[in-house]
Amino acid sequence: MPAARSGEPAAAPVETTTRLRPVRVPAYGPVETPVETTTRLRPIRERRRGRGLAAGACVVLGLGLIGGALAGVWLAASGAGSPAEPAGYAVAKELWHNAPVDTLFPRTLTAPQAGPGPSARTWTRVVVAPDAPCGPSSVAPRLLAAVHPLGCERVLRATYTDATASSVLTVGLVFTRAEATAQRALGGRGLAARLGQDVPPALSGAGTVAAGFGPAQRAAWWATAPTDLPVVVTAVSGFADGRAAGRAVPADQAMKKGRTDAVAQSGLGHEALGIAERLEKQLRTTALAAAKEEEER
């Protein structure tokens, strides 16, 4: 600025630049608007039940897929959608004439825990009958009616006595041509209940301990249809001394606790049930062995 002359008042300072109003420097990036650009959603309560149902549906669907896959494998293995035939089933149909008699009816049978309780029982064969057609002389009436539609093939029978020769037992193997499904329909161990009082015929043997074993001497009996073998196994027991036993009862009834009659006390129910189960096991073993031998040929 020029110096002031002598005697003149000093001039007021004059700005040479224009004062700028302060300017706020915006932050880096776009300026955020104070107004929400989205609509606020109302709060929704979590639906746990829906999740549980969805999870359950997934589990059911998964199990269905697995079951379907397994069913497909099973049907493919069995062929034509029919139930799989048990091992040795087809071979067992021919055992009545292919297996030796000592294999089907061993000379001695042993059941370690045939009862009563843990007691063991041993039976010795005394009579063997020739194979016979299915008829009233070798098969009880109701059983004959049940197996006739299945194609009753042949009947094999033998009579045994216990270790003390005080009881005798006639056992029978009724072979059929039944398919596996029809065999299962016979009822397995429940067959005896279905047959009611259908007592199997007795097989006597002249000159043996079973010489006097006839219809009147039958005391306890049993019948079972294994689901894995085309056969019905029957057994009927009685006293070896020829005494009349009255009305024969199924083995499970003769074995009931609290019975005090002679049949129960002598264990004739255990005899009939035990020897039937033992013969069934023997036949199953024979059928499986024959099937394995046939595969190896």
Side-chain angles (χ1 to χ4, degrees):
M1 293 181 61
R5 294 180 181 179
S6 174
E8 291 181 356
V14 179
E15 291 183 348
T16 59
T17 59
T18 302
R19 183 180 297 276
L20 300 176
R21 55 187 177 83
V23 179
R24 184 176 298 172
V25 180
Y28 179 79
V31 179
E32 184 180 10
T33 59
V35 180
E36 293 181 344
T37 58
T38 58
T39 304
R40 184 179 299 277
L41 300 177
R42 57 186 177 85
I44 299 177
R45 185 173 300 172
E46 183 180 1
R47 298 181 179 179
R48 298 182 179 179
R49 182 182 178 185
R51 290 185 179 181
L53 293 176
C58 292
V59 172
V60 172
L61 179 60
L63 291 176
L65 292 174
I66 294 173
L70 292 177
V73 173
W74 176 60
L75 292 176
S78 59
S82 58
E85 191 173 79
Y89 191 90
V91 175
K93 292 182 179 181
E94 309 300 327
L95 288 181
W96 68 269
H97 62 79
N98 286 344
V101 63
D102 287 346
T103 299
L104 297 175
F105 294 125
R107 294 179 180 273
T108 302
L109 283 171
T110 301
Q113 293 183 335
S119 60
R121 290 184 180 270
T122 301
W123 303 283
T124 302
R125 194 184 73 198
V126 294
V127 181
V128 177
D131 62 274
C134 299
S137 62
S138 57
V139 183
R142 291 188 181 180
L143 176 58
L144 184 60
V147 298
H148 180 73
L150 308 181
C152 193
E153 187 71 54
R154 214 69 177 169
V155 182
L156 304 182
R157 294 192 301 158
T159 297
Y160 286 77
T161 187
D162 70 330
T164 62
S166 60
S167 63
V168 287
L169 308 95
T170 294
V171 291
L173 299 177
V174 183
F175 287 85
T176 75
R177 293 188 294 272
E179 297 302 324
T181 303
Q183 179 68 22
R184 295 186 186 102
L186 286 176
R189 287 177 60 87
L191 177 61
R194 289 181 54 195
L195 296 176
Q197 293 299 320
D198 200 42
V199 187
L203 173 65
S204 61
T208 71
V209 69
F213 192 31
Q217 284 70 42
R218 296 175 299 176
W221 65 277
W222 192 245
T224 182
T227 57
D228 57 343
L229 295 169
V231 67
V232 175
V233 183
T234 65
V236 59
S237 60
F239 295 104
D241 58 9
R243 80 180 82 168
R247 182 183 180 186
V249 296
D252 56 352
Q253 295 183 22
M255 294 164 55
K256 284 184 177 180
K257 292 183 178 180
R259 290 186 66 117
T260 58
D261 55 277
V263 174
Q265 293 295 325
S266 62
L268 288 178
H270 293 84
E271 297 272 14
L273 179 61
I275 199 169
E277 290 180 341
R278 185 64 185 85
L279 273 181
E280 178 185 332
K281 183 178 180 180
Q282 175 74 18
L283 186 62
R284 183 175 294 110
T285 301
T286 302
L288 292 176
K292 183 177 180 181
E293 182 179 348
E294 190 172 276
E295 290 178 359
E296 293 174 350
R297 290 177 184 175

